[in-house]
Each structure stands twice: as structure tokens, then as C-alpha cells.
Amino acid sequence: MDGRAQVSLQLVNEGNGFEDVTLELTDVPVGWTADISGYGNFVRIAPAGTRSFPVTITAPVGTPPGEVVIVARMWGSDGLTTALLRVHVPEVFSVDVLMDEETRTLTPPGTVSFPFDLVSTGNALGEARLSVEGMPIDWDFAFTDPEGVASVSYALNVGQTGTALLSLKVPIEAQGDTQAIDLVVRDRFGNLLARMPIYVRLRLPDLSVVNMLVLPSQPREGTPMTVRATVLNLGMADAEDVSVVLKDGNTVIDRDTLSIIPTMGELEVVLYMVPNQGRRTLVLEVDPADVIRERSEANNIVKRHVDVAAPPDRPVVTPAVAQASVAVVLTISILGLLGGTESGKYAFLTLIFIPRYTKIKKDKVLDLYLRGKIHGYIIANPGEHYN
């Protein structure tokens, strides 16, 4: 018997009248229990009737093997009737696994350890053999005793406790969030004694792009456009040097690098582009080169379709009119600046004789892309100035 047994106690009334009987279990060994289920103070049995009652018998841990006899006593109109319940206690080797913490957290690569105790709960000497099941194929494991000696087998006597340590080596390529692994204990015949699930929670970042916003909401070709979004880190580790790119279809338009996004933190990214007319597919992607190992790569991209209108109409101005307009504006501006004084007039006359065309160095001219970024920033952040 492995701790508990159940037998059926059957009562038969062979007479032709109702019979009220009482029951009792005696000779129960110390530490044992024997209970009759469904029985009160007495039981009434109909003529030629039968009643059955289950009897549950429990033996304490460490009960030696052998036979135990428990007496069932019944009192009725014919006096006392007895029956013997013979309980055979075999040799049993059983083990319980006790572990303080079944979940450990690790940043790959590394080794995580699970100390545990093996407690012999049977009535016989036995051997507990340890193994793991469900471990990823590229992981490794080792069992050691308190002295650090590798061991997968522990001989335990009745009531004895053995201490062991399971170490799991997690490679840098480990993926996912939480990995469940079974610690398995079997006897020397391969019979299962215990199975305990343990969990390794990988401490990895998990980057995501949300709240993508395009400004202006109705963009035009040739007009700078701003794309804003929030980059989240939903993982259990900080993410450093996070690259974010803005693409028009498959073409990279702009990029930025966020120095660090703490665990459960967020940062805003602002990128710019000068769109072409038509329906554009804008793509914001975080960590496009997969440099950062994450818990999940499925949430690194967000897409949005944007309709870009044709550029605004511009009035056609002839070169002569344009030159005259510029000359008038310059003349009025310079006269106002110089104030019409004699010295001012002299300065104005000297300005007239400045060469008509003056070379401007290339590094002093803002290209279309940089002008677009400045324009987009002004649109996205109205009211800001150089301070």
C-alpha cells in the first residue's frame, strides 16, 4: 500500500424484517486512520437488502512493509458480527521534490541555478535518478551535489533528504520570454517518482513602435513632412543604441539612433522627408538590422499609407520682372537701413558697384533635405526659437 487504500464493506440482511445495525473499526495501528464513508450512528437495512460502505485506510510515511489486520465490528439483532480487513503494506520507494523558488530570471548568455531537496517519503531504500525534459536543444544542464560533484543519482534511505543543484546554461541565441522545463525524478527501474516544472525567464528587451503621426496631415509634394512615433521597450532589459529608420516603401529616407530606452520605458522619435506625389507607404522600423536581441521581433514595424497631393500652383514670373522686383526691394531695404544720411548715401553708392555675381561656398548652402528637416521641425514644434 502506498500511503492510502480503500476497501468496500458490504452488509447483507438475510432476514425478513428491517434491521438496524451499528458499525465500528478496531485494532487500527497507532498513526493510521480508518474511516467509514457515509455512515452515521446506525444504518437500517431492508429485508433481503444490501448496503455497501467504502472504508478508507491511511498509513503514515515510513510504515514498514508487512500485513496489518483491522477488525470491522457490526452489532444487530443477532448480536456481534466481525470481519477482518487485511492490509498489505509493500516496500515502496517514493520521493518528494522541495524547491524554494521555481522561477529564475537570466540575461543571456549565462547560467541559472535551481537548488532543491529530494525527500524520501516511502518505507524502503531506493535510488533517485535525475533528468530534465522539455529543455531547448541548444541549452545545456548539469546536476551537482553540495560539494559541486556532478551526480544524477542519489541513494536515499527511509526518511532521508538529499540536496542537489540543477544548473542550466543558456546561450546567447536564446529566444522567447519564459521557458518551461521539467525536473524529472525516476527510480532505478525507470518508474516516475516526481515531476516538477521550473521556469527560466529571459531578461531581454522588447522594442515596439506605436502612435505613428504624420504632419501635416495632408502633405503635398515638395513640402517637408514630419513623421513622429513612440518607441516602447516592453522587455525586462534596457535597449541601447536603438536604430530607427523611416522608409518610403523599401527606400530608406531618414534614420535616427536613440541612445538608451530603459525597461518599460519609451522615447519619441522624429524623422523627416520631402515626399513625392501619390500614395506613399511609409514604414517606421526599429532595429532594422536585428542588432538588438529581443523577446519578440514581431512588433518592430509600423506602416501607414499616406496620400501626397500635387505641389501648390506657383505664379509664373518673367526674369525681367523678377530682377526689377528684387532691385526695388533691395533698394528700399538698403535705403531704410542706411537712413538717408550723407555717409549712408555714400555707402549705398559703393554697394551699387559690388560685383553682380559673388561665389558662395557649397558648405554655406542648405540642401533640400536639410531645409526639409528644419521646416518639419518648425511645424512639429511651433513657438520654439534658438534659445
Side-chain angles (χ1 to χ4, degrees):
M1 183 188 70
D2 187 9
R4 175 175 298 185
Q6 191 173 75
V7 296
S8 179
L9 186 63
Q10 190 175 56
L11 309 179
V12 179
N13 182 4
E14 297 178 346
N16 57 5
F18 284 92
E19 186 75 27
D20 293 335
V21 299
T22 58
L23 299 174
E24 182 185 12
L25 299 176
T26 63
D27 298 282
V28 179
V30 177
W32 289 51
T33 61
D35 299 312
I36 305 174
S37 300
Y39 172 74
N41 295 326
F42 70 95
V43 57
R44 174 168 292 181
I45 307 174
T50 301
R51 295 287 301 273
S52 295
F53 295 92
V55 178
T56 301
I57 302 172
T58 303
V61 174
T63 299
E67 185 179 79
V68 173
V69 178
I70 297 176
V71 180
R73 302 174 182 270
M74 180 183 70
W75 286 270
S77 60
D78 293 336
L80 175 63
T81 303
T82 61
L84 302 180
L85 306 179
R86 300 184 181 275
V87 181
H88 175 66
V89 181
E91 288 189 351
V92 175
F93 175 66
S94 58
V95 170
D96 284 344
V97 179
L98 302 180
M99 184 179 296
D100 291 336
E101 189 174 350
E102 300 166 10
T103 301
R104 303 278 176 168
T105 303
L106 172 75
T107 300
T111 300
V112 61
S113 299
F114 293 85
F116 61 95
D117 290 333
L118 298 170
V119 181
S120 174
T121 56
N123 61 4
L125 173 69
E127 179 184 357
R129 297 184 177 181
L130 306 177
S131 63
V132 294
E133 295 180 3
M135 187 180 68
I137 191 171
D138 53 347
W139 292 28
D140 198 4
F141 75 96
F143 288 102
T144 56
D145 62 16
E147 287 71 37
V149 179
S151 177
V152 295
S153 178
Y154 290 80
L156 299 174
N157 209 336
V158 177
Q160 186 179 0
T161 298
T163 300
L165 180 72
L166 169 60
S167 299
L168 297 174
K169 187 176 181 181
V170 182
I172 192 172
E173 298 83 7
Q175 297 290 334
D177 182 12
T178 301
Q179 183 69 48
I181 300 172
D182 285 341
L183 168 61
V184 179
V185 184
R186 300 182 184 275
D187 62 16
R188 62 189 182 93
F189 303 107
N191 299 313
L192 180 65
L193 299 177
R195 179 185 296 272
M196 170 174 283
I198 58 176
Y199 305 93
V200 179
R201 182 173 297 168
L202 301 181
R203 188 185 289 114
L204 294 172
D206 185 11
L207 300 173
S208 175
V209 185
V210 297
N211 300 332
M212 183 176 177
L213 177 64
V214 177
L215 295 173
S217 58
Q218 297 178 341
R220 289 183 174 273
E221 179 180 346
T223 301
M225 185 172 67
T226 302
V227 179
R228 311 179 75 142
T230 301
V231 180
L232 305 177
N233 180 6
L234 304 176
M236 299 179 62
D238 297 344
E240 299 181 0
D241 297 328
V242 180
S243 176
V244 185
V245 299
L246 170 63
K247 295 189 288 187
D248 184 357
N250 294 323
T251 303
V252 176
I253 303 298
D254 196 8
R255 66 174 63 242
D256 196 2
T257 300
L258 307 177
S259 58
I260 184 171
I261 306 178
T263 176
M264 303 308 295
E266 63 181 54
L267 284 180
E268 185 181 57
V269 62
V270 181
L271 300 175
Y272 307 91
M273 68 178 294
V274 179
N276 295 322
Q277 181 182 353
R279 188 170 182 81
R280 321 306 303 177
T281 300
L282 303 185
V283 180
L284 269 179
E285 183 174 4
V286 60
D287 189 31
D290 288 336
V291 175
I292 301 173
R293 294 187 54 257
E294 301 181 54
R295 186 174 63 184
S296 173
E297 304 283 349
N299 51 358
N300 286 18
I301 297 178
V302 62
K303 296 182 180 181
R304 173 168 293 184
H305 297 293
V306 177
D307 292 321
V308 179
D313 295 333
R314 296 186 178 90
V316 179
V317 182
T318 63
V321 175
Q323 291 178 5
S325 300
V326 172
V328 172
V329 172
L330 286 175
T331 302
I332 295 174
S333 299
I334 293 173
L335 285 175
L337 177 64
L338 299 178
T341 63
E342 287 296 322
S343 58
K345 293 176 182 178
Y346 177 78
F348 173 69
L349 291 175
T350 59
L351 286 174
I352 296 176
F353 296 97
I354 292 177
R356 186 175 180 182
Y357 297 103
T358 302
K359 291 184 177 180
I360 302 175
K361 295 182 179 180
K362 291 183 178 180
D363 59 349
K364 301 300 183 181
V365 180
L366 296 178
D367 60 17
L368 184 62
Y369 169 73
L370 187 54
R371 291 202 306 271
K373 296 194 75 167
I374 295 174
H375 184 272
Y377 183 84
I378 293 173
I379 293 176
N381 301 274
E384 290 197 11
H385 52 83
Y386 69 93
N387 281 336

